[in-house]
Amino acid sequence: YQRRVRDPRVNLRRGKSDIYNRDMCTAGAGTLILEFKMLGRLVGDPTFESVAERAMDRLWEMRNRTTDLIGNVYDLERGEWSDPMSGIGAGIDSYFEYLLKSYVMFGNENDLHRFNTYYSAIERHMKRPREGGDPFYYANVHMDTGEVQNHWIDSLSAAFVGVQVLHGDLETAIHHHALFYGLWLKYDALPERFNWERRMCEYSLYPLRPEFAEATYLLYQATKHPFYQYVGETIYTSLERFNRAKCGYATLNSVLSKKQEDRMESFFLSETCKYLYLLFDTDHPLNRREDFIFTTEGHLLRVDRFARERMNVLNKEARTANISHMFTCETFPRTRQQTAPFSDEFWSQVATMINLSV
């Protein structure tokens, strides 16, 4: 570890990476802190925590100081961004997740400050349209200018809904989730990319990703609204109908043709199935405890008493943030429990935005 950001791939025989592997995505460099900190404390060796912290510090330093946005791919040799696109999906998603979860787990104030800074920048530069009450999406923008770089959203950005739940921004999470629910109804899956300008699928692969199921589970845990179990049933029905294969569940080569590939990613069992199972098993012990968090790969880490006390501070800060109509898990209005989590008018606007027949 001569650099502050790790190599994406290392040849175990030569002890170094090849030059053509010098690009590292932000998520790859910024999604070590939970596991490495825990490992270091379990074995009593601060080296693991140190290298993970150094990578996080370097990413923070590399943000644009005007927009507070961060790029997608970092050139390790040149020490600069090779892809300055900033978004909430592939290549960057779990970096934001781990900043917030690191604060919950270990109580590091710097991590919370950094997350809040990024979250404000995301709302300010990526959210489209900016007018309140309308269906919205988060566009991929240039980190230096905030200008839109392309016209697609990807399936991994559904994970940001779960981050918004943990942040206490439930109202935004509820309406953000509705976009992905509409896409699921449209395709019985989530395509890797959906073009929001042309209102059509741009990259039709569906490799059984867990992000939408995870967001649905977390929203149910936060609101106890039965709608999210209904969404989970919809996901399950689609998987049984289109992904079930002789020896497991298959990747869809195309959400349009529903042609299957001879491939089942490991995250389907470790994450997708796990979140759906927990969504319906409401009496499961994990659903009755508050002393754990999920890693980005769906593994469990136990939060100690100090970290749980920090969680109360987190919810307090979320309630006072400059975001309108915000609810935490404890303050979600009971009157909303008896109706849909969003209005019929809003849902009609979502359907129009993605060209969904309802």
Side-chain angles (χ1 to χ4, degrees):
Y1 277 93
Q2 299 300 318
R3 303 186 186 96
R4 295 171 67 186
V5 177
R6 70 186 181 107
D7 289 330
R9 295 179 178 85
V10 175
N11 186 302
L12 296 179
R13 179 174 295 176
R14 296 195 299 271
K16 61 180 180 179
S17 64
D18 298 319
I19 189 65
Y20 58 81
N21 286 329
R22 70 187 186 186
D23 282 343
M24 163 63 73
C25 71
T26 299
T31 312
L32 303 171
I33 197 69
L34 288 185
E35 290 87 348
F36 273 42
K37 266 193 175 183
M38 181 59 68
L39 176 61
R41 296 182 184 192
L42 287 173
V43 302
D45 185 347
T47 304
F48 301 101
E49 181 173 339
S50 176
V51 294
E53 289 282 9
R54 281 161 47 196
M56 299 293 269
D57 290 343
R58 180 56 178 163
L59 290 174
W60 174 251
E61 292 170 3
M62 290 295 292
R63 78 191 190 285
N64 182 283
R65 304 302 175 88
T66 300
T67 64
D68 281 322
L69 295 175
I70 191 169
N72 195 282
V73 180
Y74 182 79
D75 188 317
L76 297 172
E77 295 294 327
R78 297 179 180 177
E80 60 187 29
W81 294 105
S82 55
D83 182 0
M85 185 189 80
S86 190
I88 60 170
I92 196 171
D93 51 347
S94 53
Y95 170 57
F96 302 129
E97 174 190 356
Y98 265 39
L99 280 173
L100 185 55
K101 288 184 176 180
S102 177
Y103 172 73
V104 173
M105 189 78 187
F106 304 108
N108 189 323
E109 296 285 347
N110 282 336
D111 291 335
L112 179 61
H113 168 69
R114 292 173 181 181
F115 173 83
N116 284 334
T117 300
Y118 285 131
Y119 194 82
S120 296
I122 289 168
E123 290 289 306
R124 186 167 62 252
H125 295 290
M126 299 183 195
K127 198 172 186 179
R128 302 286 194 283
R130 294 189 175 91
E131 295 78 14
D134 296 326
F136 61 86
Y137 55 90
Y138 292 92
N140 297 313
V141 301
H142 196 288
M143 63 174 287
D144 295 331
T145 64
E147 295 181 355
V148 174
Q149 293 295 283
N150 50 57
H151 299 118
W152 48 260
I153 55 176
D154 61 55
S155 62
L156 275 81
S157 60
F160 199 70
V161 174
V163 176
Q164 291 171 319
V165 172
L166 184 62
H167 183 46
D169 192 2
L170 281 186
E171 191 74 5
T172 302
I174 287 168
H175 289 86
H176 191 193
H177 178 273
L179 170 63
F180 296 101
Y181 176 54
L183 289 174
W184 190 278
L185 291 180
K186 185 179 178 71
Y187 297 111
D188 280 294
L190 280 189
E192 287 289 82
R193 291 181 181 177
F194 178 81
N195 189 305
W196 46 262
E197 184 179 63
R198 300 172 64 189
R199 298 190 296 173
M200 61 184 295
C201 176
E202 185 167 296
Y203 181 24
S204 61
L205 181 74
Y206 172 60
L208 302 167
R209 291 198 185 278
E211 286 76 16
F212 181 52
E214 176 187 10
T216 303
Y217 164 69
L218 294 175
L219 270 172
Y220 178 74
Q221 286 297 103
T223 67
K224 301 302 180 185
H225 199 299
F227 169 78
Y228 294 108
Q229 288 188 319
Y230 173 77
V231 175
E233 181 182 3
T234 302
I235 297 172
Y236 172 79
T237 300
S238 299
L239 291 172
E240 287 293 309
R241 181 179 178 186
F242 297 109
N243 300 89
R244 186 70 180 264
K246 183 178 179 180
C247 298
Y249 289 79
T251 289
L252 293 183
N253 178 266
S254 170
V255 299
L256 302 175
S257 68
K258 302 298 189 293
K259 180 181 178 181
Q260 294 185 350
E261 289 187 2
D262 187 15
R263 177 165 59 118
M264 185 178 80
E265 301 286 353
S266 61
F267 52 64
F268 175 70
L269 293 178
S270 65
E271 296 183 74
T272 309
C273 291
K274 182 184 296 180
Y275 290 123
L276 289 175
Y277 178 84
L278 290 173
L279 173 64
F280 294 107
D281 187 5
T282 55
D283 293 328
H284 193 283
L286 288 179
N287 289 330
R288 297 184 176 186
R289 299 177 59 168
E290 298 180 353
D291 60 343
F292 72 91
I293 57 174
F294 288 103
T295 70
T296 193
E297 303 298 341
H299 305 304
L300 292 169
L301 291 178
R302 185 169 181 174
V303 181
D304 61 24
R305 178 177 299 178
F306 172 75
R308 291 175 68 185
E309 291 173 350
R310 305 305 298 179
M311 186 64 177
N312 294 330
V313 177
L314 175 65
N315 282 337
K316 180 179 179 181
E317 294 196 9
R319 284 194 293 271
T320 58
N322 186 25
I323 303 174
S324 61
H325 307 298
M326 181 182 297
F327 302 102
T328 64
C329 306
E330 293 80 8
T331 62
F332 189 77
R334 291 187 178 183
T335 55
R336 294 276 296 278
Q337 301 283 4
Q338 307 303 321
T339 61
F342 39 74
S343 68
D344 291 341
E345 179 182 3
F346 175 82
W347 178 241
S348 178
Q349 292 172 333
V350 170
T352 300
M353 187 171 75
I354 63 174
N355 198 25
L356 170 68
S357 298
V358 294

